[in-house]
Amino acid sequence: MPSSSSTATCEVNFDGLVGPTHNYAGLSYGNIASISHRGAASNPRRAALQGLAKMKALADLGLPQAVLPPHERPALSVLRAFGFFGKTDADVLAAAAKHAPALLSATCSASAMWVANAATVTPSSDSADGRVHFTPANLASKLHRSFETSQTARTLRSIFANPEHFFHHEPVPGPHLFGDEGAANHTRFAPSAAHRGLHVYAYGHQALAHPAGQPLLRFPSRQALEASEAVARAHGLRADQAAFIQQSAAAINTGVFHNDVIAVGNDDVLLYHENAYKNTPKVVAALRAAYSNLHHGHTLNTVRVPARRLSLADAVRSYLFNSQLVTLAPGKMALIAPAECAEIPSVRAYVDHLISDGKNPIAEAHFIDLRESMSNGGGPACLRLRVTLTAAERIALPAGIWINDDTYPRLVAWVKKHYREKLSPSDLCDPNLITESRNALAELSIMLGLGNIYPFQLN
Ligand code: SUG
């Protein structure tokens, strides 16, 4: 597998660095971990270190690994937009804490760490104009997440700045019914990173369908078909390169709020739960046909996980499908799984079966402790945005964003300097958090070589 400096086209994982206000506010109805940890005390320092350790583990496997910075939280500009004025930022925070505590907690969420929801990305091999295309996700279905879009757009434009290589779209417009949750509902299949890809978009509902045609759901669907279609269209995909598949109501109702909670793909492999989609057998047959049509002589290696081996509820509890599937060498893949998968005996047994089964290229499993993020419903795959890049495109990026033996210890030291070890939802009204976060982010943006990407002045 190529490293960040090699000449081959490869997938780069950009991981979201956990922000200093990581907390458990129970903001995501339909995400069982988020709701069940509501009000618990978090450890932002541990969360950020766990995330960094995952990045380093992947870099040590020889995979190109980069980082995306956190957003400013509390989001003072949002509180001001909601009518909280004051002489100082601390006044704004105090007024929001007094009159709108729920809004305050939404503006304090460090949810931007889950960058699988930051954007949808199309590599230059697949787009109509030969550039890498980015559409920041509108995240319209959750208030706290919708505040991420503008900063995400600024950050991506700053990192992927060269217009010769990169093109940035506006987010898909519309109210929450037109929700777009980015790469978490998008998978690209190809014989290797350099080949043209088949782009598969999973959606929960059709925003413009008659209400009588909507799936009956206990939990909200977050991705609209129309939003996925808009992204594919804007990125210039050919009709034979895009497929749209619908999540099953049973999966959404069990807590599958994104496709990456119930399926994972990499190169020519799709690992999926048999109840993931509305009529899964038909969906998988269609994907296999579309793949062979695009790549004559090649087949998509589809690995079905039956409900009798793993129930939907255990899939959600273990987050097995939120593993990252990465290519270590041609024909050799590794599963980067949450530590919980090793602790639940039935899931561990299934992973052992998967890696010993000669029918798929998954040869290794690495179990990673991401408990702080997992308690908010964010596993390994949620924390990363995949961007397939040529060598020339990688060279066009700021040097400071890569995780390596030099940057990793500096980032660890930065976290230890700035992050608290305990944060409860009641601490979110502490005005010291504003300065602590800003000081941390100001130092970070200099370290990463990004200049001022934030809405506040760097000192
Ligand atoms: O959007 N959790 C996130 C988790 C996102 C996981 N991402 C992917 N599956 N790709 C969400 O539900 C919880 C925040 C809180 O409750 O404090 C939260 O936003």
Side-chain angles (χ1 to χ4, degrees):
M1 183 67 199
S3 71
S4 58
S5 57
S6 97
T7 54
T9 295
C10 62
E11 175 183 281
V12 178
N13 281 295
F14 285 80
D15 272 46
L17 188 47
V18 178
T21 60
H22 158 65
N23 74 96
Y24 300 119
L27 299 174
S28 275
Y29 183 64
N31 167 346
I32 287 162
S34 154
I35 296 306
S36 58
H37 289 91
R38 181 194 172 102
S42 63
N43 185 331
R45 178 186 293 196
R46 191 189 297 138
L49 294 177
Q50 287 174 346
L52 279 168
K54 167 167 97 81
M55 298 183 219
K56 186 62 164 59
L58 266 82
D60 287 346
L61 286 172
L63 302 167
Q65 177 69 54
V67 65
L68 289 172
H71 296 190
E72 185 200 14
R73 296 289 180 269
L76 268 307
S77 56
V78 175
L79 290 175
R80 288 183 191 273
F82 272 92
F84 292 105
F85 300 109
K87 257 211 202 117
T88 64
D89 290 330
D91 293 341
V92 171
L93 201 69
K98 182 162 176 214
H99 299 291
L103 183 63
L104 174 65
S105 78
T107 61
C108 288
S109 177
S111 56
M113 71 175 88
W114 300 298
V115 293
N117 305 116
T120 309
V121 186
T122 298
S124 52
S125 55
D126 300 356
S127 66
D129 66 358
R131 290 188 282 181
V132 185
H133 284 239
F134 297 83
T135 296
N138 66 26
L139 294 167
S141 73
K142 292 275 177 262
L143 182 72
H144 68 293
R145 302 227 54 188
S146 70
F147 302 148
E148 295 168 33
T149 308
S150 54
Q151 180 63 59
T152 295
R154 269 201 300 277
T155 304
L156 292 177
R157 283 172 192 265
S158 155
I159 293 178
F160 302 95
N162 186 333
E164 194 187 314
H165 294 301
F166 307 117
F167 188 86
H168 297 270
H169 297 268
E170 292 298 316
V172 175
H176 75 277
L177 262 184
F178 287 81
D180 171 27
E181 305 257 330
N185 294 321
H186 167 252
T187 316
R188 176 179 181 270
F189 296 100
S192 79
H195 284 81
R196 184 177 282 279
L198 173 68
H199 293 251
V200 178
Y201 299 83
Y203 65 93
H205 67 282
Q206 216 173 326
L208 294 172
H210 188 276
Q214 299 290 1
L216 278 179
L217 294 173
R218 181 159 76 102
F219 292 143
S221 151
R222 299 209 208 171
Q223 181 82 34
L225 169 62
E226 291 85 346
S228 304
E229 287 174 337
V231 172
R233 204 161 33 232
H235 289 204
L237 293 184
R238 296 188 326 216
D240 63 346
Q241 279 180 272
F244 302 89
I245 63 179
Q246 186 166 13
Q247 294 178 279
S248 73
I252 294 175
N253 288 340
T254 313
V256 178
F257 55 97
H258 290 135
N259 184 59
D260 67 5
V261 175
I262 207 62
V264 54
N266 179 51
D267 290 347
D268 59 352
V269 174
L270 167 64
L271 178 70
Y272 69 98
H273 191 278
E274 71 171 338
N275 300 130
Y277 304 107
K278 184 174 173 183
N279 198 345
T280 311
K282 198 170 153 202
V283 163
V284 173
L287 294 183
R288 290 173 67 92
Y291 186 84
S292 298
N293 179 46
L294 192 63
H295 297 293
H296 302 287
H298 291 272
T299 39
L300 186 62
N301 191 339
T302 50
V303 184
R304 179 176 66 98
V305 182
R308 66 178 165 75
R309 292 295 299 261
L310 185 71
S311 65
L312 274 175
D314 277 351
V316 172
R317 190 159 69 98
S318 66
Y319 256 40
L320 170 66
F321 294 95
N322 204 257
S323 299
Q324 289 176 246
L325 198 50
V326 294
T327 302
L328 299 177
K332 186 181 178 199
M333 296 188 190
L335 199 67
I336 312 297
E340 286 77 353
C341 291
E343 289 157 12
I344 302 172
S346 58
V347 180
R348 176 71 204 232
Y350 184 76
V351 171
D352 289 344
H353 158 77
L354 197 62
I355 55 183
S356 58
D357 177 8
K359 294 189 200 126
N360 69 70
I362 308 169
E364 293 176 10
H366 299 260
F367 298 99
I368 311 265
D369 179 0
L370 292 167
R371 275 173 233 277
E372 284 286 326
S373 167
M374 283 283 284
S375 298
N376 251 339
C382 300
L383 286 160
R384 64 96 164 87
L385 180 67
R386 309 160 100 172
V387 188
T388 294
L389 296 169
T390 64
E393 290 158 357
R394 292 197 297 281
I395 288 166
L397 306 180
I401 60 164
W402 298 103
I403 298 293
N404 52 40
D405 289 340
D406 172 43
T407 53
Y408 176 71
R410 291 170 58 212
L411 286 164
V412 166
W414 169 82
V415 169
K416 289 185 177 164
K417 174 174 166 194
H418 291 285
Y419 281 49
R420 297 188 185 189
E421 286 181 285
K422 187 167 177 225
L423 198 63
S424 296
S426 56
D427 298 328
L428 298 176
C429 57
D430 178 356
N432 292 326
L433 266 183
I434 304 174
T435 26
E436 283 172 32
S437 291
R438 284 185 176 168
N439 289 342
L441 298 188
E443 198 175 314
L444 180 71
S445 51
I446 292 165
M447 224 155 104
L448 302 182
L450 297 182
N452 191 4
I453 54 168
Y454 293 111
F456 60 91
Q457 277 311 109
L458 301 186
N459 293 326

